[in-house]
Amino acid sequence: PVSKLFASFGRVLRTRAHKLTTAQLKKLHSVSHRVDQFDCFISHVCSTPGLKKYLTLMVDFLGLPAFAAACVVSSGLFAFQVWCQELPRIGPATRLSLWEFVGGLIAAAAVCTVGHVLCRRTHCFLDCTSICQDDPELKAAGIRNIPADLRASRELLVLWDERYFT
């Protein structure tokens, strides 16, 4: 599930499979489980920094909910100040209220930080977790099965960068 890819700020995405021991590879593969259909097939370059992948996927999956949360909180703070009570201003002669901006940022950050919990039913194919890396025969079978996995996916997400075709 996508929730496991995003857990611990993208730990799985930041992992370099070729640098892991056999026990660590087994643990990495244990993150995945068998499904009949994928919501998303993630195509990427293994050498691309994991943080870059994490941020890109986070914006793709959680960007809209984060934006919506920021709008709701900002609008709520604005309405509270208009109809109930004005919140304290920063500085003695400041006419600008930063409450809406800061509240929206905090709401968006909260969704980006813990929003992966909402993605528990979204299943992705990510090669380093979906294909067994510690058994050469299973790895070869998994690689041969990539076309079938791609056909079983509703969406193809390409994490494109300058190294993609090299």
Side-chain angles (χ1 to χ4, degrees), residues 45-109:
V45 178
C46 294
S47 62
T48 300
L51 182 61
K52 205 176 191 182
K53 294 175 197 177
Y54 168 69
L55 292 173
T56 302
L57 290 171
M58 184 181 60
V59 168
D60 186 63
F61 283 96
L62 298 175
L64 187 58
F67 177 74
C71 288
V72 167
V73 169
S74 295
S75 298
L77 284 169
F78 177 77
F80 177 79
Q81 289 190 86
V82 168
W83 290 299
C84 295
Q85 178 180 349
E86 193 169 313
L87 296 172
R89 304 279 186 207
I90 299 171
T94 304
R95 296 175 45 98
L96 178 66
S97 171
L98 293 178
W99 290 103
E100 294 89 351
F101 178 71
V102 172
L105 279 179
I106 291 171

Side-chain angles (χ1 to χ4, degrees), residues 16-36:
R16 300 275 190 222
H18 66 279
K19 294 183 178 181
L20 300 178
T21 65
T22 302
Q24 291 170 322
L25 287 171
K26 285 182 182 184
K27 185 177 179 183
L28 180 65
H29 184 62
S30 72
V31 169
S32 68
H33 64 274
R34 184 159 178 74
V35 295
D36 294 327

Side-chain angles (χ1 to χ4, degrees), residues 13 27 30 41 43 49 51 53 66 72 74 82 90 121 123 125 127 142 144 162:
L13 293 165
K27 185 177 179 183
S30 72
F41 185 103
S43 177
L51 182 61
K53 294 175 197 177
V72 167
S74 295
V82 168
I90 299 171
R121 293 179 188 246
H123 301 284
F125 177 92
D127 56 2
R144 282 191 307 272
E162 63 278 356

